[in-house]
Structure formats: C-alpha cells, structure tokens
Amino acid sequence: MQPLRVYSVVPKLPPRLKPLWELAYNLWYSWNNEIAELFAQVDQKLWRECELNPVAFLNRLPQRTLENLATDQFFLDRLTELRRNLETYLSKATISIPFPEGENKEPVIAYFSLEYGISKGLPIYSGGLGILAGDHLKSASDLSLPLVAIGIAYQQGYFRQYLTPDGWQQERYPVYDFEQMPMTPCLDADGKRLLISVDLKGDRVFAQVWRVAVGRISLYLLDTNIQENQPQFKQITTRLYGGNLEMRLWQEILLGIGGIKTLDALGFKPKVIHMNEGHSAFAGLERIRRFMENAGLTFEAAAELVASSSIFTTHTPVPAGNDRFPPDLMQPYFEDYARKLGLAWKVFLALGREDPRNDAEPFCMTVLALRLSRINNGVSILHGFVSRNMWKRVWPQYPVEDVPIGAVTNGVHVPTWVAPDLALLFDRYMGPNWREDPDCPRVFEQTEAISDAELWRTHERLRERLIDFVRRRLHDQLLARGAKRKELQIAEEVLDPQALTIGFARRFATYKRATLLLSDQERLVKLISDSSRPLQFIFAGKAHPHDNEGKKLIQQLVQLCETAECRYSMVFLEDYDMEIASYMYHGCDVWMNTPRRPLEACGTSGMKAMCNGVLNFSTLDGWWAEAWKPDNSLGWAIGLGEEYEDVQYQDFVESQMLYNALENEIVPTFYERGHGNLPRGWIRKMKESLKTLGPVFTSHRMVEDYARVAYGPAIENYNRLVKAEFAAAKDLAQWRMEMMTKWSSLNVRNVQATDPGQVFVGEPIVVTAEISLNGIRPQDVRVEVYSGPVDYEGKFTQRETTIMQPSDSTQDGWQVFRGEVMPVEAGRFGFTVRILPHHPLLLDSHSLGLIKWAEQG
Ligand SMILES: *Cc1c(COP(=O)(O)O)cnc(C)c1O
C-alpha cells in the first residue's frame, strides 16, 4: 500500500532561530568550526547521530529544545554574530588574485567532477578526487573566483564499510534523504522543480537539479531518481562508482551533456570549462554541438573554440581510473549525436582513440578530454611527467617532453583541515591571515614564533583526542559485530595517549601497498612492544566493492591488529570518511604513505597531516617527491625515488628501508626528550615542515595557479575567438584546415652550423637552414633550433628551443632561416631543426599535431 500523497514535515521554527537554518544550508560551516560547534553544543549526541549533517540535525531537534533556544540570550547572541560573519563573507565581491578585467560579475568558469567531498554530512565522495574538488570550491569561494560547479546527487553515496568478524569488508548502502540535507531544489520560471533531460538511446531521461551553497560558490547536483523516469534510469544517480560499464556511460552522459544543459537552463554562460578526469569529457562535445546549432559554426570552428576554452586535469595514472568504452557500447548512444556534429562514425570514434586509425581501440574518455582541451595538466610535477609518457601516442610526432600536458600540483584547503585547537594557536601567532592567505610565505614564517611547549602541548592534546575517538569508534564497531564484554573492555584501553602514533588511511588499492609494513611481522612486533619507546598504528580505508585484492589486504591487516601481540597498539577503524580522516590528520605524529612509484598522482592526505604539524614518512611519489628534502628536515622518505622492474623485489627492499627508518630515525627522534620532556628535534621538524610546505601545498595556491595558467588565458582566448560573430574562431578553423592540407609539402634542407673547429661553453653556434614553405606564409610557422646535451646513444637528455628568423631573400622557393644556440656546459651536444605551425590565437603550437623535423643527410 502506498500513500496517496506525501509531505515533508518540518518543525515549527521560532522566528528568532531562522538564522540557524541559514547557517545549516551553507557548507561554509565545513571550514568555520564555530558554526559546527554551535550545532554540536545544542545536542552532541544528536549531532553525532545525524552524522554532522546540520539540516537533518535541526529538523530532528525536539520542539521543546527549539523553544528553549529561542529564549537563550547567550545562544541567540552567538547565533547573530555567526550569521553576520557569514553575511560579511558572502558580500565580498572582489577577486583577490590576478584575473582578466571585468570577469567577476557572472560565473565564467564551470567546474566538473563526478564526486565532491565537502563535508561528511554530504556524502557524495569516495576519496582523493572528490575531496580535492571540495577543497577547490572552498578556495575558489575564499578567493571570490567566478566559478560554478556541476556534479551528481547520489541517493546512496559511496558505500559504507563494515567488517565481518574475520575482517572481510562488507558494504552497506543507506538511502539519503535529500530533503534532509544541506541542498535545495532549483525551480523553473513557473516555480516548479527544474528538470533537464538527456537522451539515452532514444529514451528521454530527466534529472532534477539541486543547489548546494559552498560559501560563495554554487554546486549543482543532478538527480535522476524522480517519478518521471523509467526505473532503470532512476538508478543512474544511485551510487558513486557503482554499477557496470554501461551505467558509468550513463552517468558520464548525464554529467557531461546534462551538465552543460543544466548550466544553460539556469541561465549561466560560462566561458571556460574545467573537466576533472575524463568523466565529464562529453561536456566538450555538447558545447561543440551547441555552438554549431546556435551560432551556425562548422564542427571545426566550434571545436577550435571549445578546445581553446577548456581545461582538462588528469588525476591518476592507474588504468582503471581512465574509462574506456567499447565502440559497440558507444554506438547506440552516440551514432545520432555524431551525425548532429556532422561526423562520420569512425571520425567520431577517432576523437577517443590514441591512434585514430586503429579500429580495435576502445573509446577512451581521457583521450577525448585531451583532444577537446588545449590546457591539460597532471596533479604533481612527477605526475605531469608520467602523464606525458602515458599519453604521448595522442601526439605521435612529438618528443615526449613536448607532449602538451603540464602540471599543477594539488593543494588542500587549510582552514578545513587544521584542527580547531591549532587554528587558535595560528590565530595568535600568525594573525587571521593564515585563513585568508595561506599561500603567503610571510604568514607561515611566523610558525617560528610559536613557543615549542605550546605547540607540543596542543599537539599532545590532539593526539589524546584522537585516541579517545578511536576507542569510542572501536567500541561501537565491536559492539555492532556482536563482540563479547571482554573485547569491548579492550577497546576502552587500546593505544597509549603518550606513544608515538603513526597514521595510515587511504583507499586500499593495491598500488598503495597497505601491507608493506607487515612484510616482516617479527620486526614490526618488536617495534610496537618496546615498552620504553612504544610505537602504535591507526589504520582506516575502504577497498572498492569489486576489488577483492584490496579486501584481502584489509583482512590481512585487520587479522594482525586482532592478535594478542598487536591488539593494544594497532587498530583498524571501519568506514573511513572525512571525519575519521580529520581526527587522524589532527592527532597522529607521523603520516605514513607507501605507494608504488609512480602510481600516486599526487596524494593529498599527507598535506592535510602536514598543515597540522604531522610529519610525513613516504615513498618519493606524487607531491612528496617534490616536497621532501634530503636532510630529512621536513620528514622522511622511503627510498630515493627508484622505480623497479621486479615489484616483489621492490616491496622487499622498500619494506627494509621502512623498518630501518622507523628504528633508526623516527622512534629515536620522537623519544629524545629534553627539558620539560619536550622532543626538541621533533618540534624543530614540525615547524620546518609547516613553515616550508604550509604556504605551498594549499588549495589557494593551487586555485591561483589554475587562474593564472589556465582559467585566465582560456577566458581571454574565448573572448578573442567569439568577437565579431565568432570571426576569429572561423578564421582559426580555416587556417587549421589549410595547415593540415599544406603541411606535408613543407621541406627543410641544408641544415648548417658555423664550424669554429672547436666549440666552447658559452660561445654561440650559428645555425642556418633552408626552408621551402610552398605557399605557407612565413608568419604561419615557427622554425626552431632544437638543441641540448645528448647521451651515449645520441639521444637528447634535455632540450632547449630557439626561434630562427627568416632572411629576406628566397631562391627557387627556398628561404634561409637563421638562429643561434649556446652550449651551457661541456660534454656531448647536439641540435636539429624543426617547424611548428604558428598562429597568434593558437594556445599551443603542438595541439594541431603538425610538426616537421629536418631529416638526416
Ligand atoms: C585526503 C583524503 C583522501 C585522499 O588521500 P590520498 O593521500 O590521496 O590517499 C581520501 N579520503 C579522505 C577522507 C581524505 O581526507
């Protein structure tokens, strides 16, 4: 039996408490702890039961509590003050970083991600990618960047983890009630719920749009679980990373194509889009289709415009993170669409293929994104390098260092992740600037001024709080598992609040090697049972529901944690999420990470630990490869960044290094206590790490980098291309076609260098070459000397390019170009000459895939 009608019943709200709801509906509370504290102080138990979701919390408060609060003057004063803070924050309107003039009125940047981790109370994230997206929005808000974001409202979020008594991961999927979450439905002009639709194999699928306020930023979430849809389509937004490949395709069509339609329906006219992972790459196609339809552009001109105003960030080198769809799966969904774009089916498929001629290749979303965007990047310097290698087949003629994928290293939103106690200390010593301007080195210089004792006491208090939290959680999880009284008693006594505490929490993907620590259990047990210098571990993390290898790692770890030797000093917490993570970042002494280089694209958990004065101990992968210093003054490394062919051997070697570092460096430094029982050496490192890394690995710095190298240039390019009825976009497309047809007739001959007999460091070599342009204008090309040191095989080990200038005279169609190169160090040195297409509106000469190298002989 189903009811005829359903209502949402909400408490009767005393008018004076209305500001509470305003605070609850802006996720600003997730980085303004006073607000979260205000909620918690009303009813700690209920706050926890509602999983830190303020809307559910307020709606469940008993009417009597509400009425009491409405007469509590202290509470009301505090509420007024916090609401005023929010208002002040929201009214700030100037962009505080360099940005194109006049672009601060409307959101000009649309950010796309399949997941967002903003707060525990809005569980639409799985891990690093989502939390990074959340931190991006928070910094964009703090910096007043004109950005709007698109995502999906998952009815069941990602899964919730619990363990069977023998340590096997089980998944549970609570159903979330969006009416009870900090999101509001968007309405159309008639005041009805706004719906957008996408086409799936001829079926129309509708999505309702929800708005989430993240400070000044709006995040719009799509939701297909509505009565207008057939049952199978309601499932599209049920689970993050659930379902099969076809479900993933549906989700990506919804995010990309549906996302662009949503922006349009809401009246936004973003100039640039930022695609995170290939998941949203269909957004590029949909933009092209719209420019063709609305402005009458050809596919080529529209594609030129879209690519010039798109940014693509790849976030992982792990193959499973790069979706590939078989052409047979794609065909029913995109054959018509290809026709609308004026593309033959094979040409369409080529957009997603590394080798456009290879019919056997699946359609890869990362390749599509790379082809539809002129500004591409990885998420750390090392990952930029890895990505250029990984995707070099998309630009087959280029040396790998010219593959147009750069790097913007990730950062974390410091005000979100710093413990409130430590934040007070920062306020006192650095001033409130550290929240607003955490990438200013001057601000973090002030960490030096913090008293050693004060910093250490604060840190110790946070460790104690972590241990309290672990005991409570462990108790609850054992109880849920049906544990006996005696086991429950153990839970109350695990871990020592004074002991050196190492945290390890992350997804249990095999490349993260969670069990590296277990490879010599005897040595491990010896370390944790040293009663004068005890060491203890806290673990947490989920394995993907289909990843049995990952689940085995969890089981192995959990079973060890439960042995008699380890049960007091090694704990595995179930259901890793932002809350567990926060306690761990706040209260551990060491953050350990053991990825197999180079598979960790960046890794952000270590940064969150770092901004709490926690020291990192990690393989030199991702961000740590660029952050660590060889003198260990900022934390420790496992190995020196070696990569191995034999992974078992690698695991062996690196596990030995891991134990060595723990035994010889980390434990002794921690327990070397001086006056007042302070570990001065350790505190020195905490401060060094905060001071040096604090201003760098923040999302403010990251968002500023994106604004400078990506958003700004892309917006300016967009403005130039659309002017005068898209004149420049049309010109550029025309020019590109011309280059494509004429390019093969270019020739280089007679490359010469002045031969001084001997070449000295710092003395220029003059290079000349004869070029036959065959109808291409000299300004359409850039002729370059490509030079640098070469190795014993005659390959360039580094390279530099110098532009060659044309001479006035031509002879039989051959024109002499001339340039100079300067060898900067002694050794073998080589050069060659190449030609690239050049156009003032082309963001990147490499994007056409055209190049001509001087040939031997
Ligand atoms: C930061 C964070 C991650 C990502 O951390 P990695 O270092 O990339 O593994 C995952 N989950 C949570 C809850 C986080 O806070």
Side-chain angles (χ1 to χ4, degrees):
M1 185 69 186
Q2 292 206 328
L4 203 56
R5 290 182 65 179
V6 177
Y7 298 94
S8 299
V9 180
V10 294
K12 204 154 98 222
L13 185 61
R16 302 169 89 182
L17 293 184
K18 209 168 143 271
L20 263 181
W21 265 258
E22 288 166 34
L23 293 175
Y25 273 99
N26 193 318
L27 278 101
W28 198 55
Y29 70 76
S30 66
W31 71 101
N32 285 272
N33 192 58
E34 306 100 311
I35 301 175
E37 267 169 10
L38 185 78
F39 294 133
Q41 283 156 8
V42 172
D43 186 339
Q44 296 277 358
K45 189 159 160 286
L46 184 63
W47 176 241
R48 220 177 278 150
E49 264 171 39
C50 293
E51 310 205 294
L52 319 191
N53 164 4
V55 174
F57 171 76
L58 293 180
N59 286 344
R60 279 178 57 186
L61 279 178
Q63 192 70 35
R64 196 161 40 83
T65 310
L66 291 173
E67 270 147 30
N68 284 342
L69 286 177
T71 59
D72 178 341
Q73 199 53 45
F74 284 112
F75 183 83
L76 292 174
D77 287 349
R78 184 78 180 128
L79 179 59
T80 310
E81 185 188 343
L82 292 175
R83 206 270 297 261
R84 196 170 324 116
N85 292 350
L86 175 61
E87 256 168 40
T88 310
Y89 178 84
L90 293 179
S91 63
K92 198 179 124 192
T94 44
I95 307 181
S96 34
I97 53 175
F99 205 66
E101 200 71 38
E103 297 288 7
N104 60 344
K105 309 276 181 313
E106 301 286 324
V108 283
I109 307 151
Y111 186 96
F112 284 76
S113 174
L114 205 49
E115 51 168 311
Y116 290 89
I118 303 162
S119 150
K120 177 188 167 91
L122 186 65
I124 52 168
Y125 65 91
S126 122
L129 178 68
I131 290 166
L132 182 81
D135 282 1
H136 196 107
L137 300 193
K138 290 171 184 176
S139 278
S141 171
D142 290 343
L143 297 166
S144 304
L145 207 64
L147 180 144
V148 54
I150 296 285
I152 289 180
Y154 301 98
Q155 193 81 49
Q156 302 181 5
Y158 194 50
F159 74 93
R160 306 291 297 264
Q161 176 196 52
Y162 67 98
L163 300 175
T164 61
D166 65 345
W168 191 253
Q169 171 178 301
Q170 299 286 326
E171 295 94 30
R172 109 191 135 75
Y173 293 91
V175 177
Y176 298 108
D177 178 0
F178 296 151
E179 306 279 350
Q180 300 290 332
M181 297 183 97
M183 50 207 265
T184 42
C186 296
L187 305 178
D188 64 16
D190 301 330
K192 295 214 195 67
R193 295 199 162 197
L194 177 68
L195 296 185
I196 59 111
S197 71
V198 292
D199 178 88
L200 290 182
K201 269 206 274 203
D203 281 315
R204 207 150 161 221
V205 175
F206 294 92
Q208 173 181 345
V209 184
W210 297 85
R211 174 174 180 269
V212 176
V214 186
R216 280 187 282 262
I217 300 287
S218 293
L219 162 63
Y220 294 95
L221 301 175
L222 298 174
D223 168 14
T224 63
N225 190 7
I226 50 175
Q227 66 188 38
E228 285 81 355
N229 284 330
Q230 300 170 38
Q232 72 273 29
F233 299 133
K234 290 185 179 171
Q235 304 290 324
I236 298 178
T237 58
T238 298
R239 291 178 186 175
L240 170 60
Y241 304 135
N244 58 15
L245 203 57
E246 187 161 25
M247 178 58 84
R248 181 63 70 83
L249 181 64
W250 289 359
Q251 291 186 329
E252 295 186 358
I253 291 173
L254 180 69
L255 179 70
I257 298 179
I260 295 293
K261 292 188 168 183
T262 304
L263 292 166
D264 196 54
L266 291 165
F268 291 113
K269 298 194 168 39
K271 297 183 175 184
V272 307
I273 64 169
H274 184 178
M275 302 176 278
N276 287 279
E277 292 295 38
H279 301 144
S280 51
F282 293 138
L285 291 179
E286 179 64 8
R287 284 182 87 204
I288 294 176
R289 195 190 65 72
R290 290 181 161 250
F291 282 122
M292 292 173 69
E293 191 177 287
N294 301 338
L297 298 185
T298 60
F299 174 83
E300 288 73 19
E304 207 56 57
L305 175 57
V306 165
S308 304
S309 57
S310 297
I311 292 104
F312 168 57
T313 304
T314 168
H315 292 261
T316 178
V318 176
N322 292 277
D323 293 313
R324 290 183 160 85
F325 298 117
D328 288 349
L329 176 61
M330 288 289 289
Q331 195 157 358
Y333 294 97
F334 280 98
E335 211 173 16
D336 267 351
Y337 200 89
R339 218 167 287 134
K340 286 186 200 148
L341 296 175
L343 300 179
W345 181 237
K346 251 188 93 159
V347 178
F348 179 90
L349 286 178
L351 290 169
R353 284 176 167 153
E354 294 178 26
D355 175 1
R357 283 170 299 272
N358 181 357
D359 289 340
E361 236 186 85
F363 187 93
C364 175
M365 294 300 283
T366 307
V367 174
L368 178 67
L370 287 168
R371 292 200 195 279
L372 292 185
S373 147
R374 286 289 142 71
I375 303 178
N376 305 305
N377 69 282
V379 290
S380 68
I381 295 171
L382 178 60
H383 181 233
F385 176 82
V386 170
S387 302
R388 287 191 286 279
N389 269 289
M390 195 163 162
W391 303 106
K392 62 187 173 199
R393 282 184 299 276
V394 179
W395 291 271
Q397 308 202 41
Y398 296 121
V400 65
E401 61 272 18
D402 281 332
V403 167
I405 303 179
V408 174
T409 303
N410 286 342
V412 299
H413 188 252
V414 177
T416 297
W417 297 106
V418 170
D421 302 57
L422 199 58
L424 289 178
L425 209 56
F426 285 1
D427 282 339
R428 183 134 24 94
Y429 285 93
M430 303 186 204
N433 280 17
W434 71 271
R435 294 173 203 270
E436 308 271 321
D437 200 5
D439 57 340
C440 173
R442 190 185 48 74
V443 172
F444 271 89
E445 283 290 327
Q446 303 303 319
T447 37
E448 283 298 342
I450 303 179
S451 116
D452 280 4
E454 222 176 339
L455 180 61
W456 187 247
R457 299 290 172 246
T458 306
H459 174 67
E460 294 221 290
R461 195 158 64 238
L462 291 166
R463 190 193 311 114
E464 263 170 54
R465 206 166 297 150
L466 164 66
I467 285 165
D468 265 356
F469 173 78
V470 170
R471 289 175 178 168
R472 193 175 75 224
R473 275 301 190 91
L474 187 65
H475 176 275
D476 293 352
Q477 79 191 37
L478 288 174
L479 194 66
R481 229 187 272 171
K484 300 198 183 59
R485 263 255 308 281
K486 186 148 166 290
E487 283 176 88
L488 292 178
Q489 265 166 4
I490 293 177
E492 272 144 43
E493 285 160 30
V494 295
L495 306 181
D496 170 356
Q498 306 293 322
L500 170 55
T501 306
I502 299 189
F504 182 98
R506 49 194 29 88
R507 282 184 304 120
F508 274 67
T510 38
Y511 80 86
K512 300 214 183 209
R513 296 191 296 179
T515 48
L516 199 63
L517 178 70
L518 313 189
S519 58
D520 186 342
Q521 292 190 6
E522 216 171 295
R523 215 166 155 186
L524 174 63
V525 168
K526 201 158 156 247
L527 269 166
I528 61 173
S529 4
D530 180 344
S531 57
S532 62
R533 299 191 309 177
L535 175 61
Q536 59 194 14
F537 291 90
I538 302 169
F539 302 97
K542 298 173 174 179
H544 187 276
H546 300 320
D547 179 11
N548 276 337
E549 288 310 308
K551 291 187 189 179
K552 280 185 201 156
L553 295 181
I554 292 181
Q555 186 173 40
Q556 223 181 316
L557 191 58
V558 170
Q559 288 179 345
L560 183 72
C561 289
E562 288 175 353
T563 58
E565 291 114 320
C566 301
R567 63 169 25 144
Y568 286 98
S569 29
M570 287 175 54
V571 177
F572 184 94
L573 288 186
E574 286 174 5
D575 204 24
Y576 184 48
D577 66 0
M578 289 177 79
E579 186 188 19
I580 296 185
S582 290
Y583 274 99
M584 291 180 72
Y585 302 140
H586 297 168
C588 285
D589 298 293
V590 173
W591 194 254
M592 191 173 81
N593 195 9
T594 50
R596 180 172 286 127
R597 178 174 159 132
L599 294 176
E600 182 89 304
C602 180
T604 48
S605 55
M607 301 175 189
K608 299 174 215 164
M610 173 274 291
C611 61
N612 284 286
V614 177
L615 298 176
N616 276 274
F617 174 40
S618 166
T619 38
L620 293 183
D621 198 5
W623 80 290
W624 196 234
E626 64 196 84
W628 175 74
K629 278 216 198 119
D631 63 1
N632 289 335
S633 58
L634 310 176
W636 297 274
I638 301 168
L640 289 172
E642 297 84 358
E643 285 163 31
Y644 298 73
E645 298 275 315
D646 179 345
V647 295
Q648 266 165 358
Y649 178 68
Q650 175 178 14
D651 289 356
F652 171 76
V653 173
E654 294 187 342
S655 67
Q656 297 304 304
M657 292 176 178
L658 188 152
Y659 295 121
N660 290 343
L662 285 174
E663 290 162 1
N664 304 331
E665 302 207 31
I666 299 178
V667 174
T669 313
F670 184 84
Y671 285 106
E672 194 186 306
R673 300 300 169 99
H675 187 66
N677 200 26
L678 294 180
R680 299 272 179 190
W682 193 277
I683 297 170
R684 179 83 253 125
K685 285 180 197 292
M686 289 171 74
K687 287 187 173 178
E688 256 332 287
S689 150
L690 271 171
K691 185 175 80 174
T692 318
L693 307 177
V696 180
F697 296 98
T698 80
S699 52
H700 276 42
R701 189 271 311 146
M702 170 183 77
V703 169
E704 286 184 41
D705 280 354
Y706 277 109
R708 186 168 41 79
V709 304
Y711 301 151
I715 289 168
E716 281 170 350
N717 226 40
Y718 177 90
N719 289 341
R720 281 195 289 264
L721 290 175
V722 300
K723 247 195 332 227
E725 308 281 313
F726 303 91
K730 292 175 189 166
D731 275 1
L732 190 58
Q734 186 87 40
W735 174 84
R736 179 191 179 106
M737 295 291 274
E738 196 182 315
M739 288 296 127
M740 295 290 208
T741 45
K742 289 188 179 164
W743 196 256
S744 59
S745 57
L746 271 179
N747 269 310
V748 189
R749 72 175 188 194
N750 211 8
V751 176
Q752 304 267 347
T754 47
D755 183 6
Q758 237 173 344
V759 179
F760 294 100
V761 173
E763 284 186 6
I765 304 171
V766 177
V767 178
T768 57
E770 293 178 16
I771 312 284
S772 154
L773 290 169
N774 272 329
I776 298 179
R777 295 170 307 170
Q779 64 265 38
D780 289 338
V781 295
R782 207 168 67 202
V783 183
E784 294 177 339
V785 191
Y786 184 102
S787 65
V790 290
D791 64 13
Y792 65 95
E793 286 180 314
K795 288 200 184 121
F796 287 104
T797 53
Q798 290 165 38
R799 64 99 168 98
E800 194 171 296
T801 58
T802 328
I803 295 179
M804 299 174 79
Q805 301 298 341
S807 65
D808 293 336
S809 62
T810 53
Q811 205 173 12
D812 307 332
W814 292 89
Q815 190 167 7
V816 177
F817 280 68
R818 189 177 175 285
E820 280 184 1
V821 290
M822 189 88 81
V824 289
E825 56 188 67
R828 285 165 62 76
F829 180 85
F831 71 87
T832 182
V833 168
R834 69 175 186 183
I835 312 176
L836 289 166
H838 176 71
H839 190 287
L841 290 175
L842 197 63
L843 277 183
D844 185 335
S845 304
H846 294 91
S847 62
L848 265 57
L850 298 174
I851 194 165
K852 181 84 193 173
W853 292 91
E855 277 158 31
Q856 293 284 326

